[in-house]
Amino acid sequence: MDWKQKTAIGILVLFGVVLLMGIGVNVWIDRALPKMLREKNRSDYAIDYKNLSYSLMDGYIKADSIEVVPKSAAANQAIKSGLYATVQSVEIKNFKIWSVLFSDRIRARSITVTRPQIVVYKKNDKASHPKNLKKTVVAPFDKIVSVSDIYVRNADAKVVNTQTQKALLHAANVNLQLEGIRIDDQTLDQKIPFAFDAYEFSCDSAYYQANGFYHLTTQKIAATRDELSIGDFKLTPRYSRRAFVQKIAKEKDLFVVSAKQIKLDRLDWGFRDTVLFAHVGSVQIDKALADIYRAKMPPDDLSKKPLYNKLLRDLDFDLKVDTLRLRQSLLAYEEEKSFGQGSGKLIFDRFDLTATHICSGFRQKKLPDLKIDIDCRFMATSPMHVEWKLNVLDKSDGFNIRGRIKNVDAARVNAFTKPYLNATTEGTLNEVFFNFTGNDVRSHGEFAIKYDDFKVTVYQQNDRSKKNKFLTAVGNLFVKNDTKGQVKATQVEVERIPEKSFYNFFWRNIAQGLLQIFV
């Protein structure tokens, strides 16, 4: 037998061995994959599917019509707890054959999950918690498949309260691209139980039960590593005003907040040594509406109200927002002494705000001043400009706030004074100026005003539709009805009431100035 024949036989034998090995590996894979997903599945979840296809040459696995349920569900189908899911298909690319043959995990480059319908059942109203995420979602499935990149297409995800069967969270048509994933014992102990290099996220709408009092809804959400946009944001109460007042033990504001668009640019966030950091170049909020309602019927909350310096200084994470812009917005404040009298209401529309250098004091030794500029209309007619400055690291909680208001028709403030003070005013406040400097203890500064034909009408307590002629006459006797074309100025000094907010402190400075000039 010459060398050519030997070579040919050798090639045929080698080809036969490779062919037999391929057939053997395919037979092994046919048995190993189902066994890995069913019998050797060390997670808390049972996984089933209808069709399974793969290619050893391409390192490709695809499963169709997948169902994921907790293994505990087999013992008690009546009570649901944990994660349930149906998935149209799962594709795994560039998997390592040796991981299938000699381990209980599929190791691959990427996994694509198409049209998953996911429901997480919980026994309470808390939609999620990092520890629950680690335990119920991340850690179990890392025991089955380990990949670098995850792609989720057209997902629908819910978190449901098992007792009420109501959704605590719902995200529709979710798309996610998560690349450079790393999961290990160290990451599982962190706030986010995995590390990653880049991500893209979007969903068509989202609902979240924020707490016992509010619902949060949005339309389109889109996010990348350095950008976030949210459309039609709404924070709405779960209860009516009357029901809310019945449920609170002390005075508390009720909010209705919405925004047409919220956009964050140059976003950088994550964890350093388990401590959150969030740095944002700019935040733009367009067409926001904020209605703040306070009922005075419940007892006062006598806890100390910290000023904004302290609130930011005491944050336990690294926050930095270079610029915050609020555009074409409206702010309303309502206060009500009793449901029978109605609420007094102050409105600030065409509200534009620019704030710079918003920072927490976390691990900081020096920070620039936080500056806020506001332009708006007071009670829909009067131009108003405010400049507000403070430093987060100033432990005296010092601040300066200055501004001006022009052409205030006093009658337009009656929407607040009539139900709240049982009095109305008329006349024109041509110009109002203020410049107050203060801290956590007291404030002082200048207040000035120019006004014409100012009059007060006081109403009867037992019939608020009828004028109290005596008190009205007395009031107008003591009130100077104009400044005779001059701007009248006075110095004010006010002690802070620690149990009241900054805005109460600011208003008391204004009220003191008005009292000193009017009377």
Side-chain angles (χ1 to χ4, degrees), residues 54-69:
Y54 59 88
S55 169
L56 295 180
M57 185 70 68
D58 298 326
Y60 170 88
I61 304 173
K62 183 180 179 182
D64 297 312
S65 302
I66 301 135
E67 183 176 0
V68 180
V69 298

Side-chain angles (χ1 to χ4, degrees), residues 228-380:
L228 170 65
S229 66
I230 302 172
D232 291 320
F233 172 92
K234 293 180 182 179
L235 180 70
T236 55
R238 297 177 61 188
Y239 304 103
S240 68
R241 289 180 174 181
R242 286 179 180 267
F244 174 78
V245 171
Q246 292 173 354
K247 287 181 175 292
I248 57 177
K250 299 177 181 179
E251 277 189 11
K252 189 175 185 178
D253 291 335
L254 181 67
F255 299 93
V256 178
V257 180
S258 64
K260 188 66 177 177
Q261 184 76 26
I262 301 173
K263 187 173 182 180
L264 284 68
D265 289 324
R266 304 192 306 280
L267 174 63
D268 184 21
W269 67 276
F271 289 87
R272 296 192 185 102
D273 300 326
T274 73
V275 176
L276 173 67
F277 70 92
H279 297 171
V280 188
S282 69
V283 178
Q284 174 116 356
I285 303 174
D286 294 326
K287 296 183 178 179
L289 166 64
D291 189 295
I292 305 166
Y293 169 80
R294 170 158 292 204
K296 303 298 289 184
M297 293 78 83
D300 288 342
D301 179 359
L302 298 179
S303 62
K304 181 174 180 179
K305 308 303 185 296
L307 298 184
Y308 288 103
N309 316 55
K310 182 172 175 58
L311 286 172
L312 287 166
R313 187 168 60 247
D314 290 350
L315 288 178
D316 60 357
F317 66 96
D318 180 10
L319 170 68
K320 184 176 74 170
V321 179
D322 292 340
T323 306
L324 166 67
R325 296 183 180 89
L326 196 62
R327 294 291 180 262
Q328 301 179 50
S329 300
L330 185 146
L331 171 64
Y333 176 76
E334 298 183 61
E335 197 165 290
E336 192 163 30
K337 285 187 172 181
S338 71
F339 290 120
Q341 298 175 4
S343 62
K345 190 170 186 176
L346 298 176
I347 297 174
F348 305 85
D349 72 340
R350 296 187 184 177
F351 194 96
D352 289 347
L353 176 150
T354 300
T356 55
H357 306 303
I358 303 173
C359 301
S360 68
F362 185 78
R363 296 178 181 174
Q364 300 293 333
K365 294 183 178 180
K366 185 177 181 180
L367 288 173
D369 288 342
L370 192 166
K371 296 180 180 180
I372 302 171
D373 286 336
I374 299 171
D375 284 290
C376 64
R377 294 191 314 175
F378 175 62
M379 302 304 286

